């Protein structure tokens, strides 16, 4: 479970920066709405990074903490550098990332439940709710 949690931690770090990059570089007619939504998403992700690392420490795991280690463990990919005018592509990208995060936290929860690790299991419940809502909302907007 420690490896899965380090992968989640790394994905969250990359996702946070990806969202921030899109936030900085989004352009086009929906700029104001998209700019604000992306900021909301990265504001939600930022504390989750700390929550995962601290939860790992509470259960005796060692969270990775360097950019090199995050890069080795992350499945979430960086955003392309520069201005992005294709809002649909941005939302498709982050939708895929939220789906990946959801699958990751479900797998961690399953492991936590099997080992009676209620602290980790409960934390994953919070993330499952958060990611499920984001997936639903982005999916509704792209219909």
């Amino acid at each position: 479970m420690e490896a899965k949690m380090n992968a989640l931690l790394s994905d969250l770090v990359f996702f946070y920066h990806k969202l921030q990059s899109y936030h900085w570089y989004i352009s086009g007619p929906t700029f104001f709405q998209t700019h604000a939504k992306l900021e909301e998403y990265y504001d939600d992700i930022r504390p989750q990074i700390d929550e995962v690392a601290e939860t790992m420490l509470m259960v005796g795991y060692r969270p990775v903490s360097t950019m090199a280690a995050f890069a080795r463990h992350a499945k979430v990919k960086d955003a392309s550098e520069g201005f992005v005018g294709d809002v649909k592509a941005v939302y498709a990208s982050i939708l895929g990332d939220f789906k990946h995060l959801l699958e990751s936290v479900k797998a961690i929860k399953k492991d936590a439940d099997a080992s009676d690790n209620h602290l980790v299991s409960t934390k994953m419940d919070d993330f499952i709710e958060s990611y499920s809502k984001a997936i639903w909302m982005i999916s509704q907007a792209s219909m």
Side-chain angles (χ1 to χ4, degrees), residues 11-94:
D11 282 334
L12 289 170
V13 168
F14 266 71
F15 192 43
Y16 173 81
H17 288 285
K18 181 180 196 174
L19 290 165
Q20 198 168 51
S21 179
Y22 283 149
H23 168 79
W24 292 338
Y25 284 108
I26 197 70
S27 64
T30 63
F31 168 81
F32 289 107
Q33 178 185 7
T34 306
H35 183 77
K37 191 60 167 172
L38 293 167
E39 183 174 6
E40 178 184 321
Y41 284 141
Y42 75 70
D43 282 345
D44 289 344
I45 295 297
R46 185 180 56 245
Q48 293 176 10
I49 294 167
D50 199 46
E51 290 175 30
V52 170
E54 288 179 354
T55 300
M56 290 179 72
L57 290 164
M58 285 187 268
V59 297
Y61 296 157
R62 293 186 51 92
V64 296
S65 61
T66 66
M67 294 308 291
F70 294 141
R72 277 194 312 273
H73 290 88
K75 298 276 189 282
V76 170
K77 301 298 178 207
D78 277 330
S80 298
E81 197 165 344
F83 283 96
V84 181
D86 187 352
V87 173
K88 285 187 178 197
V90 167
Y91 279 113
S93 175
I94 63 173

Side-chain angles (χ1 to χ4, degrees), residues 46-139:
R46 185 180 56 245
Q48 293 176 10
I49 294 167
D50 199 46
E51 290 175 30
V52 170
E54 288 179 354
T55 300
M56 290 179 72
L57 290 164
M58 285 187 268
V59 297
Y61 296 157
R62 293 186 51 92
V64 296
S65 61
T66 66
M67 294 308 291
F70 294 141
R72 277 194 312 273
H73 290 88
K75 298 276 189 282
V76 170
K77 301 298 178 207
D78 277 330
S80 298
E81 197 165 344
F83 283 96
V84 181
D86 187 352
V87 173
K88 285 187 178 197
V90 167
Y91 279 113
S93 175
I94 63 173
L95 177 62
D97 292 335
F98 273 121
K99 287 179 178 180
H100 166 71
L101 291 171
L102 179 60
E103 292 308 311
S104 296
V105 297
K106 284 180 176 179
I108 293 167
K109 179 174 175 52
K110 184 177 179 180
D111 290 352
D113 288 343
S115 63
D116 288 328
N117 188 327
H118 303 291
L119 180 65
V120 172
S121 179
T122 300
K123 184 59 62 185
M124 295 307 111
D125 285 336
D126 295 340
F127 295 157
I128 289 167
E129 179 182 4
S130 173
Y131 304 152
S132 295
K133 184 174 182 179
I135 290 165
W136 169 71
M137 292 183 81
I138 294 169
S139 297

